[in-house]
Amino acid sequence: ICALRQASAEHAIGGAWCTPKGRVVCSFLLWQASAEQVLLRLRADLLQSTLVQLSRYGALSRVRIVEAPMRCLGILGEPSAAARAALAQTWPAEVDHIRPVEGGVLLRADTAGQRHELWLEPQAALHWAGRLEELLPRGSEGDWRLALVRANAAEIQAATRELFLPQMLRYDTNGSVSFRKGCYTGQEIVARTHYKGGVKRHLQHLTGAASPPPPGSSLIAGTQPAGTVVESAPDGRGGCEVLAVLADELATGPSGAFLSEAGDTLRLPA
């Protein structure tokens, strides 16, 4: 679900691909790599399954869908002046804007300018990985996942594939999907929900004092099923932060406490 014509070499657009029942198969960013090419950025553990499924459509549309020989480096926080100068003369000024760098592009991934992605050809990725380690402290995958949780960036991964409608992930309010485009898979359910109905489960931010529960795992409130983990990360202080789709009636209840499959307590912000 995306307005493809809005994508350009300078601007990425968000989108989601859904099943006929409206469940999100993958979430993505898309931008124009050349006059005849677009790049689709999605979670790595969905690459092969998405490639196989999209190729069936490609054969009918006379397009070729292949894995792009690209590597990604993430930059968290405010880069140093030296790092900014080394990478690009002009950095993206707004979320989803793109600027060229040697061997690839630099994408701004959030409104605050605290999360950027470098998409690079393999040799350029080796060069920039070494160069940036000279200029910036090295982070971890957990740091990146924590930034996603704190930004409410609910990206679909293999463990959460086909579990949620776009509205449950708040894609309808954060610009991640377009409801003005033409026909798309799952349109009957997704559009009807958007224009005439609503969902009774939505994305929420939780915190806990234990290890993060894995994406795709269940949460309960008392004895009731309450929701599903979308993303989670250690908070660096021995606890965790979590994005989960929760039943609205339980998320607005008096306790605000939920149990993971491991029996650990997670709470909504006070």
Side-chain angles (χ1 to χ4, degrees):
I1 310 172
C2 69
L4 184 61
R5 289 186 176 86
Q6 293 179 9
S8 69
E10 295 81 33
H11 181 238
I13 59 169
W17 175 31
C18 298
T19 69
K21 294 183 178 181
R23 303 285 168 155
V24 181
V25 177
C26 71
S27 55
F28 57 81
L29 286 175
L30 180 149
W31 65 91
Q32 192 170 1
S34 68
E36 297 185 348
Q37 286 185 326
V38 295
L39 288 173
L40 193 71
R41 167 261 199 216
L42 67 161
R43 293 291 278 258
D45 60 0
L46 288 174
L47 173 62
Q48 292 304 321
S49 61
T50 303
L51 188 61
V52 169
Q53 290 181 275
L54 284 180
S55 294
R56 298 169 187 164
Y57 295 95
L60 299 173
S61 304
R62 289 184 287 184
V63 299
R64 194 162 64 99
I65 302 171
V66 298
E67 179 179 351
M70 306 285 283
R71 301 292 181 268
C72 182
L73 301 175
I75 301 174
L76 285 177
E78 184 64 32
S80 66
R84 294 181 71 91
L87 266 173
Q89 291 183 343
T90 305
W91 278 53
E94 297 181 33
V95 63
D96 295 336
H97 282 206
I98 295 169
R99 291 292 181 268
V101 298
E102 182 183 345
V105 297
L106 175 66
L107 167 71
R108 178 164 167 170
D110 70 346
T111 55
Q114 298 295 297
R115 201 170 81 250
H116 291 82
E117 298 176 9
L118 272 169
W119 286 94
L120 302 160
E121 297 169 0
Q123 283 300 116
L126 290 174
H127 164 73
W128 283 117
R131 184 77 178 97
L132 289 174
E133 283 198 354
E134 298 173 358
L135 301 171
L136 299 171
R138 187 180 183 88
S140 67
E141 181 183 345
D143 295 329
W144 190 264
R145 286 166 44 210
L146 183 60
L148 292 178
V149 171
R150 290 178 173 175
N152 287 325
E155 297 181 346
I156 293 296
Q157 50 195 294
T160 56
R161 187 174 181 265
E162 299 186 23
L163 295 183
F164 310 111
L165 294 173
Q167 290 91 338
M168 295 176 185
L169 301 167
R170 303 189 188 273
Y171 287 178
D172 56 329
T173 60
N174 66 11
S176 293
V177 295
S178 170
F179 293 98
R180 294 186 175 183
K181 69 172 274 42
C183 296
Y184 55 87
T185 308
Q187 182 177 23
E188 181 179 355
I189 292 173
V190 173
R192 185 172 67 236
T193 302
H194 179 67
Y195 290 111
K196 294 185 178 181
V199 293
K200 296 181 180 180
R201 293 192 289 159
H202 287 93
L203 190 73
Q204 305 289 348
H205 183 210
L206 303 164
T207 59
S211 299
S217 61
S218 299
L219 301 177
I220 61 171
T223 59
Q224 292 182 271
T228 305
V229 175
V230 179
E231 184 63 272
S232 61
D235 64 6
R237 303 184 300 274
C240 66
E241 296 188 31
V242 175
L243 290 179
V245 169
L246 301 176
D248 293 345
E249 62 178 345
L250 297 175
T252 56
S255 72
F258 304 87
L259 289 180
S260 70
E261 292 180 1
D264 300 316
T265 300
L266 299 169
R267 297 186 181 278
L268 290 164

